[in-house]
PDB file of all heavy atoms in Angstrom:
ATOM      1  N   VAL A 189     -97.771  31.450 -65.090  1.00 98.00           N
ATOM      2  CA  VAL A 189     -97.855  30.204 -65.856  1.00 98.00           C
ATOM      3  C   VAL A 189     -96.522  29.825 -66.488  1.00 98.00           C
ATOM      4  O   VAL A 189     -95.824  30.679 -67.037  1.00 98.00           O
ATOM      5  CB  VAL A 189     -98.989  30.283 -66.919  1.00 98.00           C
ATOM      6  CG1 VAL A 189     -98.823  31.454 -67.851  1.00 98.00           C
ATOM      7  CG2 VAL A 189     -99.099  28.994 -67.739  1.00 98.00           C
ATOM      8  N   GLU A 237    -100.516  19.748 -95.281  1.00 88.00           N
ATOM      9  CA  GLU A 237    -101.574  20.248 -96.173  1.00 88.00           C
ATOM     10  C   GLU A 237    -102.922  20.353 -95.483  1.00 88.00           C
ATOM     11  O   GLU A 237    -103.881  20.839 -96.078  1.00 88.00           O
ATOM     12  CB  GLU A 237    -101.718  19.319 -97.382  1.00 88.00           C
ATOM     13  CG  GLU A 237    -100.585  19.456 -98.372  1.00 88.00           C
ATOM     14  CD  GLU A 237    -100.865  18.742 -99.670  1.00 88.00           C
ATOM     15  OE1 GLU A 237    -101.540  17.691 -99.647  1.00 88.00           O
ATOM     16  OE2 GLU A 237    -100.396  19.227-100.705  1.00 88.00           O
ATOM     17  N   PRO A 249     -91.737  22.550 -90.287  1.00 91.00           N
ATOM     18  CA  PRO A 249     -90.858  23.432 -89.500  1.00 91.00           C
ATOM     19  C   PRO A 249     -91.234  24.913 -89.637  1.00 91.00           C
ATOM     20  O   PRO A 249     -91.125  25.675 -88.674  1.00 91.00           O
ATOM     21  CB  PRO A 249     -89.464  23.151 -90.098  1.00 91.00           C
ATOM     22  CG  PRO A 249     -89.575  21.754 -90.623  1.00 91.00           C
ATOM     23  CD  PRO A 249     -90.973  21.636 -91.159  1.00 91.00           C
ATOM     24  N   THR A 321     -94.978   8.609 -90.385  1.00 92.00           N
ATOM     25  CA  THR A 321     -95.580   7.914 -89.245  1.00 92.00           C
ATOM     26  C   THR A 321     -97.045   8.322 -89.099  1.00 92.00           C
ATOM     27  O   THR A 321     -97.654   8.015 -88.087  1.00 92.00           O
ATOM     28  CB  THR A 321     -94.816   8.248 -87.940  1.00 92.00           C
ATOM     29  OG1 THR A 321     -94.806   9.660 -87.784  1.00 92.00           O
ATOM     30  CG2 THR A 321     -93.396   7.725 -87.975  1.00 92.00           C
ATOM     31  N   VAL A 338     -95.658  -0.796 -91.765  1.00 98.00           N
ATOM     32  CA  VAL A 338     -94.991  -1.725 -90.850  1.00 98.00           C
ATOM     33  C   VAL A 338     -95.746  -1.755 -89.533  1.00 98.00           C
ATOM     34  O   VAL A 338     -96.027  -0.702 -88.949  1.00 98.00           O
ATOM     35  CB  VAL A 338     -93.525  -1.287 -90.593  1.00 98.00           C
ATOM     36  CG1 VAL A 338     -92.802  -2.328 -89.740  1.00 98.00           C
ATOM     37  CG2 VAL A 338     -92.789  -1.054 -91.905  1.00 98.00           C
ATOM     38  N   ALA A 355    -103.360   4.860-102.403  1.00 98.00           N
ATOM     39  CA  ALA A 355    -102.352   3.997-103.026  1.00 98.00           C
ATOM     40  C   ALA A 355    -103.008   2.901-103.855  1.00 98.00           C
ATOM     41  O   ALA A 355    -104.151   2.521-103.612  1.00 98.00           O
ATOM     42  CB  ALA A 355    -101.491   3.371-101.934  1.00 98.00           C
ATOM     43  N   TRP A 387     -95.873 -11.663 -93.992  1.00 98.00           N
ATOM     44  CA  TRP A 387     -95.822 -12.157 -92.616  1.00 98.00           C
ATOM     45  C   TRP A 387     -94.391 -12.492 -92.195  1.00 98.00           C
ATOM     46  O   TRP A 387     -93.520 -12.677 -93.041  1.00 98.00           O
ATOM     47  CB  TRP A 387     -96.690 -13.420 -92.482  1.00 98.00           C
ATOM     48  CG  TRP A 387     -98.121 -13.207 -92.862  1.00 98.00           C
ATOM     49  CD1 TRP A 387     -98.747 -13.645 -93.994  1.00 98.00           C
ATOM     50  CD2 TRP A 387     -99.121 -12.499 -92.113  1.00 98.00           C
ATOM     51  NE1 TRP A 387    -100.065 -13.254 -93.993  1.00 98.00           N
ATOM     52  CE2 TRP A 387    -100.325 -12.555 -92.852  1.00 98.00           C
ATOM     53  CE3 TRP A 387     -99.115 -11.815 -90.884  1.00 98.00           C
ATOM     54  CZ2 TRP A 387    -101.512 -11.964 -92.404  1.00 98.00           C
ATOM     55  CZ3 TRP A 387    -100.281 -11.232 -90.445  1.00 98.00           C
ATOM     56  CH2 TRP A 387    -101.465 -11.313 -91.196  1.00 98.00           C
ATOM     57  N   PHE A 434     -93.094  13.030 -65.345  1.00 98.00           N
ATOM     58  CA  PHE A 434     -94.287  13.196 -64.500  1.00 98.00           C
ATOM     59  C   PHE A 434     -94.712  11.911 -63.785  1.00 98.00           C
ATOM     60  O   PHE A 434     -95.763  11.877 -63.156  1.00 98.00           O
ATOM     61  CB  PHE A 434     -95.443  13.750 -65.349  1.00 98.00           C
ATOM     62  CG  PHE A 434     -95.031  14.958 -66.139  1.00 98.00           C
ATOM     63  CD1 PHE A 434     -94.838  14.881 -67.511  1.00 98.00           C
ATOM     64  CD2 PHE A 434     -94.782  16.155 -65.487  1.00 98.00           C
ATOM     65  CE1 PHE A 434     -94.417  15.988 -68.226  1.00 98.00           C
ATOM     66  CE2 PHE A 434     -94.359  17.275 -66.196  1.00 98.00           C
ATOM     67  CZ  PHE A 434     -94.176  17.191 -67.571  1.00 98.00           C
TER      68      PHE A 434
END
Side-chain angles (χ1 to χ4, degrees):
V189 56
E237 286 191 327
T321 56
V338 185
W387 302 107
F434 310 107

